[in-house]
């Protein structure tokens, strides 16, 4: 069991009392089923029945901010690519997008001259308290990788981790219901999946899509002179943290949940109408705007016939859209900043991101904020 405690200037005695109750509750849930444990389980069941269960109480972190540190992951992937050696020629000729330094949003495998499969998987811990809303957000986030490749999703499989000893199965049912509703909106069905008993709830999808081999969008094929277009505002990590700590307004919470649950389908279909004018695409998630932009600027010898030069980008920070209340929360310092965001900013500053002095620290945090179900970034 995990209990996450955060303290600061605004911490009150009541907050401490609530934290003590949370610790006692977690201990009771993990202990043998005595009368006290049974009473605690009954209390959780009452929460579920009343629709007041708070999923974020059962996780150590939230959403895409729970991704492994980009520094550590890059080292592992670099070593793995080196150890694998060259691919089998027969298989390699079908792989249009695979492991590489650009870390594309999904893989692509050519079936025929006119058809390729795009495949991806994505899952995370709850970023909101309501189970059904969590299911919708997680599904929208997983589908986003397919849209970012220019493909049309055709089916999905559930990926589930669930603490059956801590939460009633009705919670899982609601999570899956939310995921299915979002897939129905996307025009596809969930045809199966896999589950494991876990210490905290996790949910996501493996998604399969189809695309013409010559119409695949890559994330690192930007051209000199491209403009950048971002389709959703930033700040989901910061606002989610504030929501968990009771500092987010009702209006900001509603805007946050609507943003994360919105499919990137419309943005992808709109961009497809511009044909070859779209040079590169990615979705902005756990590594933040700056982290994913850095991947877009990373040359890949596998793309095209000739190696491409290293490109740079110039961002007018004040022009980047933010969710409501994000600037206000950042003015309080890093009290509402998730650890993933701090890691992203450190990574950005270590990889040639240069801020002008006029860009405040708060805005730098927003540009590095670990997003969950963020928008598409087009070039």
């Amino acid at each position: 069991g995990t209990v996450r405690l955060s303290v600061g200037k605004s911490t009150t005695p009541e907050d401490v009392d609530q934290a003590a109750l949370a610790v006692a509750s977690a201990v009771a849930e993990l202990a043998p089923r005595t009368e006290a444990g049974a009473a605690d389980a009954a209390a959780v069941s009452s929460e579920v029945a009343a629709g007041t269960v708070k999923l974020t109480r059962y996780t150590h972190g939230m959403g895409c901010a729970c991704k492994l540190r980009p520094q550590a992951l890059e080292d592992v992937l670099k070593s793995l690519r080196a150890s694998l050696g060259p691919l089998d020629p027969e298989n390699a000729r079908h792989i249009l997008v695979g492991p590489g330094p650009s870390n594309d949003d999904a893989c692509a495998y050519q079936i025929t001259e006119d058809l390729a499969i795009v495949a991806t998987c994505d899952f995370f811990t709850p970023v909101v308290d309501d189970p059904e809303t969590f299911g919708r957000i997680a599904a929208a986030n997983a589908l986003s990788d397919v849209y970012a490749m220019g493909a049309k999703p055709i089916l999905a499989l559930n990926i589930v981790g669930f603490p059956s000893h801590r939460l009633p199965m009705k919670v899982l049912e609601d999570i899956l219901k939310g995921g299915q509703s979002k897939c129905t909106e996307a025009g596809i069905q969930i045809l199966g999946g896999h589950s494991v008993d876990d210490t905290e709830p996790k949910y996501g999808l493996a998604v399969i899509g189809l695309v013409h081999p010559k119409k695949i969008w890559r994330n690192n094929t930007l051209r000199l002179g491209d403009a950048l277009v971002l389709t959703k505002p930033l700040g989901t990590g910061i606002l989610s943290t504030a929501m968990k700590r009771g500092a987010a307004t009702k209006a900001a919470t509603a805007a946050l949940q609507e943003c994360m649950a919105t499919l990137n389908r419309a943005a992808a279909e709109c961009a497809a109408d511009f044909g070859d004018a779209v040079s590169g695409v990615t979705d902005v998630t756990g590594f933040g705007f700056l982290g994913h932009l850095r991947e877009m600027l990373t040359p890949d010898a596998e793309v095209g016939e000739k190696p491409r030069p290293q490109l740079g980008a110039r961002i007018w920070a004040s022009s980047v859209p933010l969710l409501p209340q994000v600037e206000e929360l950042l003015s309080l310092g890093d009290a509402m900043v998730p650890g993933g965001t701090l890691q992203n900013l450190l990574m950005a500053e270590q990889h040639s991101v240069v801020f002008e002095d006029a860009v405040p620290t708060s805005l730098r945090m927003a540009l590095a904020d670990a997003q969950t179900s963020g928008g598409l970034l087009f070039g």
Side-chain angles (χ1 to χ4, degrees):
T2 300
V3 177
R4 183 176 180 179
L5 306 175
S6 300
V7 297
K9 293 181 180 179
S10 60
T11 302
T12 65
E14 289 76 16
D15 293 331
V16 176
D17 289 341
Q18 289 180 359
L21 288 174
V23 172
S25 174
V27 171
E29 289 166 7
L30 294 172
R33 282 303 184 195
T34 61
E35 290 184 5
D40 185 72
V44 174
S45 296
S46 297
E47 282 187 351
V48 174
T52 58
V53 64
K54 294 185 176 182
L55 285 184
T56 58
R57 285 179 50 196
Y58 298 88
T59 67
H60 74 286
M62 297 184 293
C64 289
C66 285
K67 280 187 174 182
L68 290 174
R69 293 185 299 110
Q71 302 97 315
L73 185 59
E74 282 198 359
D75 289 343
V76 171
L77 294 178
K78 183 178 179 180
S79 176
L80 182 62
R81 285 193 289 263
S83 66
L84 289 176
L87 294 171
D88 175 73
E90 178 60 25
N91 284 327
R93 68 187 186 92
H94 293 283
I95 299 174
L96 303 179
V97 182
S102 64
N103 297 322
D104 271 283
D105 296 296
C107 65
Y109 192 89
Q110 186 166 356
I111 302 299
T112 68
E113 184 177 346
D114 300 320
L115 184 66
I117 288 176
V118 167
T120 183
C121 64
D122 208 318
F123 65 98
F124 48 59
T125 55
V127 69
V128 293
D129 287 323
D130 178 68
E132 193 166 339
T133 302
F134 168 49
R136 289 196 294 269
I137 292 170
N141 179 75
L143 286 160
S144 184
D145 287 335
V146 173
Y147 293 130
M149 298 293 289
K152 178 181 178 181
I154 59 170
L155 65 90
L157 301 172
N158 282 320
I159 303 172
V160 174
F162 191 74
S164 60
H165 61 295
R166 301 180 67 193
L167 287 168
M169 297 304 288
K170 178 62 169 64
V171 173
L172 176 58
E173 179 183 338
D174 289 343
I175 292 172
L176 297 179
K177 185 185 300 182
Q180 181 58 69
S181 70
K182 190 54 59 173
C183 285
T184 299
E185 182 184 336
I188 67 171
Q189 288 293 316
I190 297 175
L191 300 182
H194 187 71
S195 64
V196 295
D197 205 322
D198 204 347
T199 57
E200 57 187 10
K202 300 180 180 73
Y203 177 64
L205 300 173
V207 187
I208 303 296
L210 300 177
V211 66
H212 192 287
K214 294 184 179 180
K215 295 183 178 180
I216 295 173
W217 289 334
R218 298 294 303 269
N219 74 345
N220 70 334
T221 48
L222 295 180
R223 297 178 295 234
L224 188 65
D226 277 346
L228 296 174
V229 177
L230 179 64
T231 65
K232 286 185 182 182
L234 302 179
T236 65
I238 294 159
L239 202 49
S240 295
T241 301
M243 182 181 65
K244 184 173 182 177
R245 298 177 184 175
T249 65
K250 289 184 178 180
T253 298
L256 167 68
Q257 295 185 1
E258 180 182 2
C259 177
M260 293 190 294
T262 298
L263 289 173
N264 279 322
R265 177 181 181 177
E269 291 175 347
C270 179
D273 291 339
F274 289 86
D276 293 341
V278 177
S279 61
V281 186
T282 193
D283 64 334
V284 179
T285 54
F287 295 152
F289 173 80
L290 293 177
H292 287 286
L293 177 57
R294 183 172 69 86
E295 290 182 338
M296 296 183 79
L297 298 170
T298 302
D300 188 344
E302 297 175 3
V303 179
E305 298 179 355
K306 298 179 180 179
R308 298 182 302 111
Q310 177 72 56
L311 297 177
R314 179 175 296 173
I315 306 299
W316 279 263
S318 60
S319 298
V320 179
L322 302 179
L323 283 163
Q325 203 190 354
V326 169
E327 289 186 86
E328 174 191 337
L329 291 168
L330 286 172
S331 68
L332 303 175
D334 61 2
M336 300 298 169
V337 179
T341 295
L342 296 172
Q343 290 290 341
N344 288 345
L345 183 57
L346 177 63
M347 184 74 166
E349 291 174 337
Q350 291 176 344
H351 287 80
S352 303
V353 174
V354 178
F355 296 99
E356 290 188 351
D357 292 340
V359 181
T361 300
S362 59
L363 193 48
R364 301 181 190 193
M365 288 287 189
L367 294 173
D369 188 37
Q371 302 300 284
T372 295
S373 192
L376 298 181
L377 180 60
F378 293 94

